[in-house]
Amino acid sequence: MLYQNRFYSIVVCLIFLIMAGSQAWSQEKSQNEYWGFGITPQYDIPAFKFNDRFAGGPNLGLRFSYVKNEITYEIICFYSIFSHGKIEDETFLWNIDGQYHTSPEASSKYMSGGMLGILKKPFRRKIGPLSPYWSTGAGFVYFKHQINDLIFPGQTILPIDPTFTFSPEEEIQTAFNINFGGGFRYSITQQLKADLNLRYNFLFAYLRPMEAWLLEKVSPMQSLGIGIDLTYYFTK
């Protein structure tokens, strides 16, 4: 089902980007008004309590950019995945034998996708060939959090049975995202631009607490994205 949702999301994003590009193409442009398509590869690093669950993972997106009077308006469709959650190596204290135990077959994964609107406004001064800017944005994110094969810590018979595990668990939510950040833009050619950017995200959702593993509830879910965006602009 997740792959189906992912496929439909990509199709909708592509249709939206094509429609947006066609609309921009059909309008008469001045020299300070142009548009482009690009890709947004980045690496996401969970922050605060979210970092107790995952170390991070890749994020890949498609982007439509519209520039007017040096202000950039962007629509980003993205997909991100965090594998090998830290719960796989966490221990819990089993009261029956007083020992700490891991779940050797445990697996944890976090997958997300969504659409964001971003505004980028440049600062007045350049730093050599680099044009610094600040950014802010908002959007919606769909995510799925999976945990499999965690040993059930409520067992009461010695020795502990590593095959007595929880049923597979899933948390699925759609939530609101706001973000802010900044970066530097570099012109590779007149049409091709590269953005080195940082984006800090607040996702207004939660991951439930896991008391046996001393993991607190995560809310809001915060992360830092570091990436290099490449955009080809269609100019006069």
Side-chain angles (χ1 to χ4, degrees):
M1 179 62 71
L2 179 64
Y3 295 99
Q4 246 183 349
N5 291 334
R6 189 190 314 170
F7 174 77
Y8 293 145
S9 298
I10 292 173
V11 170
V12 170
C13 287
L14 286 174
I15 292 173
F16 186 86
L17 291 172
I18 291 170
M19 290 175 63
S22 299
Q23 180 67 19
W25 178 262
S26 65
Q27 297 176 354
E28 185 179 353
K29 300 291 181 295
S30 63
Q31 290 186 350
N32 64 348
E33 184 180 4
Y34 48 92
W35 62 277
F37 287 109
I39 58 173
T40 62
Q42 68 177 35
Y43 192 85
D44 288 341
I45 304 171
F48 298 102
K49 293 179 182 179
F50 196 14
N51 187 259
D52 293 337
R53 305 296 184 97
F54 293 93
N59 180 319
L60 183 61
L62 300 174
R63 183 178 67 204
F64 169 75
S65 296
Y66 173 70
V67 182
K68 185 173 183 179
N69 297 327
E70 298 186 346
I71 299 177
T72 303
Y73 306 88
E74 296 182 342
I75 298 171
I76 299 174
C77 299
F78 73 91
Y79 176 75
S80 176
I81 183 168
F82 300 162
S83 299
H84 306 299
K86 295 182 179 181
I87 190 67
E88 297 178 6
D89 300 314
E90 289 288 347
T91 61
F92 64 89
L93 177 63
W94 193 36
N95 293 328
I96 303 302
D97 63 4
Q99 301 295 316
Y100 286 92
H101 297 267
T102 61
S103 301
E105 301 300 322
S107 64
S108 177
K109 184 182 296 185
Y110 172 89
M111 296 160 284
S112 65
M115 179 179 290
L116 305 176
I118 307 290
L119 181 147
K120 295 179 177 178
K121 187 171 183 179
F123 293 101
R124 292 184 177 182
R125 293 186 178 181
K126 291 188 176 182
I127 304 176
L130 301 176
S131 300
Y133 61 84
W134 60 267
S135 69
T136 185
F140 288 93
V141 176
Y142 166 91
F143 75 83
K144 184 175 185 178
H145 178 219
Q146 295 178 321
I147 302 177
N148 296 308
D149 296 323
L150 277 182
I151 291 178
F152 178 61
Q155 299 180 43
T156 57
I157 301 176
L158 285 169
I160 195 167
D161 182 359
T163 65
F164 188 2
T165 61
F166 285 106
S167 300
E169 300 182 32
E170 290 185 349
E171 293 179 89
I172 300 176
Q173 298 180 46
T174 299
F176 183 64
N177 166 290
I178 61 172
N179 58 80
F180 63 89
F184 297 92
R185 177 165 295 171
Y186 176 75
S187 297
I188 300 173
T189 68
Q190 185 178 359
Q191 280 79 33
L192 186 61
K193 316 289 185 182
D195 286 13
L196 173 62
N197 69 80
L198 298 175
R199 185 163 64 241
Y200 196 86
N201 297 277
F202 291 87
L203 183 62
F204 293 95
Y206 67 90
L207 299 180
R208 65 176 182 81
M210 304 183 71
E211 291 86 355
W213 290 265
L214 303 180
L215 294 175
E216 299 180 12
K217 179 180 179 181
V218 181
S219 180
M221 298 162 64
Q222 303 177 54
S223 64
L224 175 67
I226 305 172
I228 299 178
D229 302 340
L230 293 175
T231 307
Y232 186 87
Y233 288 99
F234 298 85
T235 60
K236 294 184 69 174

mmCIF file of all heavy atoms in Angstrom, residues 200-229:
data_model
loop_
_atom_site.group_PDB
_atom_site.id
_atom_site.type_symbol
_atom_site.label_atom_id
_atom_site.label_comp_id
_atom_site.label_asym_id
_atom_site.label_seq_id
_atom_site.Cartn_x
_atom_site.Cartn_y
_atom_site.Cartn_z
ATOM 1 N N TYR A 200 15.564 23.751 8.262
ATOM 2 C CA TYR A 200 15.145 23.153 9.529
ATOM 3 C C TYR A 200 13.635 22.964 9.505
ATOM 4 O O TYR A 200 12.881 23.901 9.213
ATOM 5 C CB TYR A 200 15.556 24.031 10.709
ATOM 6 C CG TYR A 200 15.500 23.297 12.021
ATOM 7 C CD1 TYR A 200 16.591 22.547 12.452
ATOM 8 C CD2 TYR A 200 14.374 23.340 12.820
ATOM 9 C CE1 TYR A 200 16.543 21.860 13.655
ATOM 10 C CE2 TYR A 200 14.317 22.662 14.021
ATOM 11 C CZ TYR A 200 15.410 21.917 14.432
ATOM 12 O OH TYR A 200 15.358 21.223 15.608
ATOM 13 N N ASN A 201 13.193 21.755 9.819
ATOM 14 C CA ASN A 201 11.788 21.380 9.683
ATOM 15 C C ASN A 201 11.140 21.093 11.029
ATOM 16 O O ASN A 201 11.735 20.437 11.894
ATOM 17 C CB ASN A 201 11.665 20.117 8.814
ATOM 18 C CG ASN A 201 12.156 20.337 7.403
ATOM 19 O OD1 ASN A 201 11.443 20.846 6.552
ATOM 20 N ND2 ASN A 201 13.402 19.939 7.144
ATOM 21 N N PHE A 202 9.907 21.573 11.158
ATOM 22 C CA PHE A 202 9.040 21.197 12.268
ATOM 23 C C PHE A 202 7.843 20.450 11.677
ATOM 24 O O PHE A 202 7.087 21.016 10.874
ATOM 25 C CB PHE A 202 8.522 22.432 13.019
ATOM 26 C CG PHE A 202 9.565 23.166 13.791
ATOM 27 C CD1 PHE A 202 10.323 24.147 13.184
ATOM 28 C CD2 PHE A 202 9.791 22.890 15.136
ATOM 29 C CE1 PHE A 202 11.284 24.844 13.894
ATOM 30 C CE2 PHE A 202 10.754 23.574 15.854
ATOM 31 C CZ PHE A 202 11.505 24.560 15.225
ATOM 32 N N LEU A 203 7.692 19.185 12.037
ATOM 33 C CA LEU A 203 6.548 18.396 11.587
ATOM 34 C C LEU A 203 5.627 18.197 12.788
ATOM 35 O O LEU A 203 6.015 17.608 13.798
ATOM 36 C CB LEU A 203 7.003 17.044 11.029
ATOM 37 C CG LEU A 203 5.908 16.151 10.450
ATOM 38 C CD1 LEU A 203 5.227 16.834 9.266
ATOM 39 C CD2 LEU A 203 6.483 14.800 10.032
ATOM 40 N N PHE A 204 4.382 18.695 12.675
ATOM 41 C CA PHE A 204 3.461 18.671 13.806
ATOM 42 C C PHE A 204 2.729 17.335 13.862
ATOM 43 O O PHE A 204 1.535 17.227 13.590
ATOM 44 C CB PHE A 204 2.509 19.865 13.718
ATOM 45 C CG PHE A 204 3.235 21.164 13.909
ATOM 46 C CD1 PHE A 204 3.674 21.890 12.812
ATOM 47 C CD2 PHE A 204 3.526 21.619 15.181
ATOM 48 C CE1 PHE A 204 4.361 23.075 12.983
ATOM 49 C CE2 PHE A 204 4.225 22.809 15.370
ATOM 50 C CZ PHE A 204 4.644 23.538 14.264
ATOM 51 N N ALA A 205 3.521 16.318 14.218
ATOM 52 C CA ALA A 205 3.049 14.946 14.382
ATOM 53 C C ALA A 205 3.801 14.364 15.579
ATOM 54 O O ALA A 205 4.519 15.082 16.283
ATOM 55 C CB ALA A 205 3.296 14.135 13.109
ATOM 56 N N TYR A 206 3.650 13.067 15.808
ATOM 57 C CA TYR A 206 4.310 12.480 16.966
ATOM 58 C C TYR A 206 4.658 11.014 16.693
ATOM 59 O O TYR A 206 4.069 10.354 15.839
ATOM 60 C CB TYR A 206 3.418 12.557 18.205
ATOM 61 C CG TYR A 206 2.168 11.691 18.108
ATOM 62 C CD1 TYR A 206 2.174 10.356 18.543
ATOM 63 C CD2 TYR A 206 0.997 12.196 17.555
ATOM 64 C CE1 TYR A 206 1.047 9.572 18.436
ATOM 65 C CE2 TYR A 206 -0.129 11.410 17.436
ATOM 66 C CZ TYR A 206 -0.106 10.103 17.878
ATOM 67 O OH TYR A 206 -1.221 9.313 17.754
ATOM 68 N N LEU A 207 5.650 10.530 17.427
ATOM 69 C CA LEU A 207 5.928 9.101 17.558
ATOM 70 C C LEU A 207 5.657 8.734 19.010
ATOM 71 O O LEU A 207 6.102 9.433 19.922
ATOM 72 C CB LEU A 207 7.380 8.784 17.189
ATOM 73 C CG LEU A 207 7.819 9.101 15.757
ATOM 74 C CD1 LEU A 207 9.282 8.725 15.557
ATOM 75 C CD2 LEU A 207 6.938 8.385 14.746
ATOM 76 N N ARG A 208 4.939 7.659 19.209
ATOM 77 C CA ARG A 208 4.496 7.303 20.561
ATOM 78 C C ARG A 208 5.693 6.917 21.447
ATOM 79 O O ARG A 208 6.732 6.459 20.952
ATOM 80 C CB ARG A 208 3.510 6.134 20.498
ATOM 81 C CG ARG A 208 4.109 4.833 19.998
ATOM 82 C CD ARG A 208 3.108 3.703 20.050
ATOM 83 N NE ARG A 208 3.696 2.442 19.624
ATOM 84 C CZ ARG A 208 4.437 1.668 20.405
ATOM 85 N NH1 ARG A 208 4.704 2.032 21.652
ATOM 86 N NH2 ARG A 208 4.920 0.523 19.958
ATOM 87 N N PRO A 209 5.562 7.074 22.760
ATOM 88 C CA PRO A 209 6.645 6.674 23.661
ATOM 89 C C PRO A 209 6.786 5.159 23.721
ATOM 90 O O PRO A 209 5.830 4.418 23.463
ATOM 91 C CB PRO A 209 6.204 7.241 25.013
ATOM 92 C CG PRO A 209 4.714 7.318 24.918
ATOM 93 C CD PRO A 209 4.422 7.660 23.478
ATOM 94 N N MET A 210 7.977 4.706 24.076
ATOM 95 C CA MET A 210 8.257 3.276 24.258
ATOM 96 C C MET A 210 8.962 3.141 25.601
ATOM 97 O O MET A 210 10.200 3.179 25.686
ATOM 98 C CB MET A 210 9.097 2.748 23.092
ATOM 99 C CG MET A 210 8.456 3.002 21.728
ATOM 100 S SD MET A 210 9.382 2.304 20.350
ATOM 101 C CE MET A 210 9.069 0.551 20.606
ATOM 102 N N GLU A 211 8.164 3.001 26.648
ATOM 103 C CA GLU A 211 8.674 3.102 28.007
ATOM 104 C C GLU A 211 9.720 2.051 28.350
ATOM 105 O O GLU A 211 10.699 2.358 29.044
ATOM 106 C CB GLU A 211 7.517 3.021 29.014
ATOM 107 C CG GLU A 211 6.585 4.224 29.026
ATOM 108 C CD GLU A 211 5.480 4.114 27.987
ATOM 109 O OE1 GLU A 211 5.501 3.145 27.187
ATOM 110 O OE2 GLU A 211 4.579 4.986 27.983
ATOM 111 N N ALA A 212 9.526 0.833 27.887
ATOM 112 C CA ALA A 212 10.470 -0.232 28.238
ATOM 113 C C ALA A 212 11.872 0.076 27.733
ATOM 114 O O ALA A 212 12.860 -0.362 28.323
ATOM 115 C CB ALA A 212 9.988 -1.575 27.689
ATOM 116 N N TRP A 213 11.969 0.841 26.662
ATOM 117 C CA TRP A 213 13.258 1.200 26.074
ATOM 118 C C TRP A 213 13.667 2.626 26.450
ATOM 119 O O TRP A 213 14.603 3.174 25.880
ATOM 120 C CB TRP A 213 13.214 1.036 24.557
ATOM 121 C CG TRP A 213 13.151 -0.395 24.143
ATOM 122 C CD1 TRP A 213 14.197 -1.208 23.802
ATOM 123 C CD2 TRP A 213 11.978 -1.209 24.019
ATOM 124 N NE1 TRP A 213 13.754 -2.470 23.490
ATOM 125 C CE2 TRP A 213 12.388 -2.496 23.621
ATOM 126 C CE3 TRP A 213 10.614 -0.980 24.222
ATOM 127 C CZ2 TRP A 213 11.495 -3.549 23.406
ATOM 128 C CZ3 TRP A 213 9.719 -2.022 24.012
ATOM 129 C CH2 TRP A 213 10.167 -3.276 23.603
ATOM 130 N N LEU A 214 12.917 3.244 27.370
ATOM 131 C CA LEU A 214 13.188 4.596 27.874
ATOM 132 C C LEU A 214 13.189 5.626 26.749
ATOM 133 O O LEU A 214 13.973 6.595 26.774
ATOM 134 C CB LEU A 214 14.527 4.630 28.623
ATOM 135 C CG LEU A 214 14.663 3.653 29.797
ATOM 136 C CD1 LEU A 214 16.029 3.783 30.439
ATOM 137 C CD2 LEU A 214 13.555 3.887 30.820
ATOM 138 N N LEU A 215 12.319 5.433 25.776
ATOM 139 C CA LEU A 215 12.187 6.376 24.670
ATOM 140 C C LEU A 215 10.930 7.210 24.879
ATOM 141 O O LEU A 215 9.830 6.666 24.986
ATOM 142 C CB LEU A 215 12.117 5.635 23.329
ATOM 143 C CG LEU A 215 13.390 4.884 22.930
ATOM 144 C CD1 LEU A 215 13.151 4.091 21.647
ATOM 145 C CD2 LEU A 215 14.550 5.858 22.740
ATOM 146 N N GLU A 216 11.104 8.522 24.939
ATOM 147 C CA GLU A 216 9.991 9.418 25.191
ATOM 148 C C GLU A 216 9.215 9.713 23.909
ATOM 149 O O GLU A 216 9.687 9.475 22.803
ATOM 150 C CB GLU A 216 10.513 10.729 25.798
ATOM 151 C CG GLU A 216 11.224 10.561 27.130
ATOM 152 C CD GLU A 216 11.725 11.891 27.671
ATOM 153 O OE1 GLU A 216 11.328 12.937 27.128
ATOM 154 O OE2 GLU A 216 12.509 11.869 28.633
ATOM 155 N N LYS A 217 8.011 10.241 24.086
ATOM 156 C CA LYS A 217 7.200 10.673 22.954
ATOM 157 C C LYS A 217 7.939 11.750 22.182
ATOM 158 O O LYS A 217 8.563 12.640 22.764
ATOM 159 C CB LYS A 217 5.857 11.213 23.452
ATOM 160 C CG LYS A 217 4.931 11.713 22.359
ATOM 161 C CD LYS A 217 3.621 12.232 22.938
ATOM 162 C CE LYS A 217 2.690 12.759 21.865
ATOM 163 N NZ LYS A 217 1.414 13.276 22.443
ATOM 164 N N VAL A 218 7.878 11.677 20.849
ATOM 165 C CA VAL A 218 8.520 12.660 19.983
ATOM 166 C C VAL A 218 7.446 13.575 19.413
ATOM 167 O O VAL A 218 6.601 13.140 18.629
ATOM 168 C CB VAL A 218 9.294 11.985 18.836
ATOM 169 C CG1 VAL A 218 9.978 13.034 17.970
ATOM 170 C CG2 VAL A 218 10.312 10.993 19.370
ATOM 171 N N SER A 219 7.451 14.847 19.799
ATOM 172 C CA SER A 219 6.477 15.805 19.279
ATOM 173 C C SER A 219 6.903 17.224 19.662
ATOM 174 O O SER A 219 7.140 17.492 20.840
ATOM 175 C CB SER A 219 5.083 15.521 19.828
ATOM 176 O OG SER A 219 4.146 16.439 19.325
ATOM 177 N N PRO A 220 7.047 18.146 18.680
ATOM 178 C CA PRO A 220 6.960 17.894 17.240
ATOM 179 C C PRO A 220 8.200 17.146 16.757
ATOM 180 O O PRO A 220 9.204 17.061 17.475
ATOM 181 C CB PRO A 220 6.888 19.305 16.650
ATOM 182 C CG PRO A 220 7.680 20.132 17.611
ATOM 183 C CD PRO A 220 7.369 19.560 18.969
ATOM 184 N N MET A 221 8.138 16.635 15.554
ATOM 185 C CA MET A 221 9.258 15.917 14.968
ATOM 186 C C MET A 221 10.121 16.920 14.196
ATOM 187 O O MET A 221 9.679 17.514 13.224
ATOM 188 C CB MET A 221 8.737 14.807 14.061
ATOM 189 C CG MET A 221 7.914 13.778 14.820
ATOM 190 S SD MET A 221 6.863 12.728 13.792
ATOM 191 C CE MET A 221 8.088 11.866 12.831
ATOM 192 N N GLN A 222 11.362 17.087 14.659
ATOM 193 C CA GLN A 222 12.231 18.119 14.104
ATOM 194 C C GLN A 222 13.414 17.482 13.376
ATOM 195 O O GLN A 222 13.940 16.449 13.800
ATOM 196 C CB GLN A 222 12.746 19.035 15.213
ATOM 197 C CG GLN A 222 11.639 19.694 16.014
ATOM 198 C CD GLN A 222 12.173 20.538 17.142
ATOM 199 O OE1 GLN A 222 13.013 21.422 16.942
ATOM 200 N NE2 GLN A 222 11.691 20.291 18.351
ATOM 201 N N SER A 223 13.833 18.127 12.292
ATOM 202 C CA SER A 223 14.961 17.607 11.522
ATOM 203 C C SER A 223 15.648 18.737 10.766
ATOM 204 O O SER A 223 15.049 19.781 10.489
ATOM 205 C CB SER A 223 14.496 16.523 10.542
ATOM 206 O OG SER A 223 13.606 17.071 9.575
ATOM 207 N N LEU A 224 16.908 18.498 10.429
ATOM 208 C CA LEU A 224 17.705 19.440 9.647
ATOM 209 C C LEU A 224 18.054 18.795 8.320
ATOM 210 O O LEU A 224 18.597 17.690 8.287
ATOM 211 C CB LEU A 224 18.983 19.814 10.401
ATOM 212 C CG LEU A 224 19.978 20.698 9.635
ATOM 213 C CD1 LEU A 224 19.386 22.085 9.396
ATOM 214 C CD2 LEU A 224 21.300 20.791 10.392
ATOM 215 N N GLY A 225 17.744 19.480 7.222
ATOM 216 C CA GLY A 225 18.086 18.992 5.896
ATOM 217 C C GLY A 225 19.261 19.766 5.330
ATOM 218 O O GLY A 225 19.291 20.997 5.367
ATOM 219 N N ILE A 226 20.252 19.031 4.809
ATOM 220 C CA ILE A 226 21.436 19.633 4.186
ATOM 221 C C ILE A 226 21.506 19.114 2.751
ATOM 222 O O ILE A 226 21.527 17.898 2.532
ATOM 223 C CB ILE A 226 22.719 19.256 4.943
ATOM 224 C CG1 ILE A 226 22.603 19.641 6.420
ATOM 225 C CG2 ILE A 226 23.943 19.908 4.307
ATOM 226 C CD1 ILE A 226 23.744 19.127 7.271
ATOM 227 N N GLY A 227 21.524 20.015 1.770
ATOM 228 C CA GLY A 227 21.490 19.533 0.397
ATOM 229 C C GLY A 227 22.073 20.513 -0.598
ATOM 230 O O GLY A 227 22.411 21.658 -0.280
ATOM 231 N N ILE A 228 22.202 20.024 -1.818
ATOM 232 C CA ILE A 228 22.612 20.836 -2.963
ATOM 233 C C ILE A 228 21.536 20.699 -4.024
ATOM 234 O O ILE A 228 21.332 19.616 -4.577
ATOM 235 C CB ILE A 228 23.982 20.391 -3.522
ATOM 236 C CG1 ILE A 228 25.068 20.540 -2.461
ATOM 237 C CG2 ILE A 228 24.338 21.220 -4.754
ATOM 238 C CD1 ILE A 228 26.441 20.086 -2.924
ATOM 239 N N ASP A 229 20.812 21.782 -4.275
ATOM 240 C CA ASP A 229 19.744 21.778 -5.270
ATOM 241 C C ASP A 229 20.316 22.201 -6.624
ATOM 242 O O ASP A 229 21.103 23.144 -6.706
ATOM 243 C CB ASP A 229 18.626 22.744 -4.880
ATOM 244 C CG ASP A 229 18.026 22.432 -3.528
ATOM 245 O OD1 ASP A 229 18.191 21.289 -3.072
ATOM 246 O OD2 ASP A 229 17.399 23.327 -2.936
#
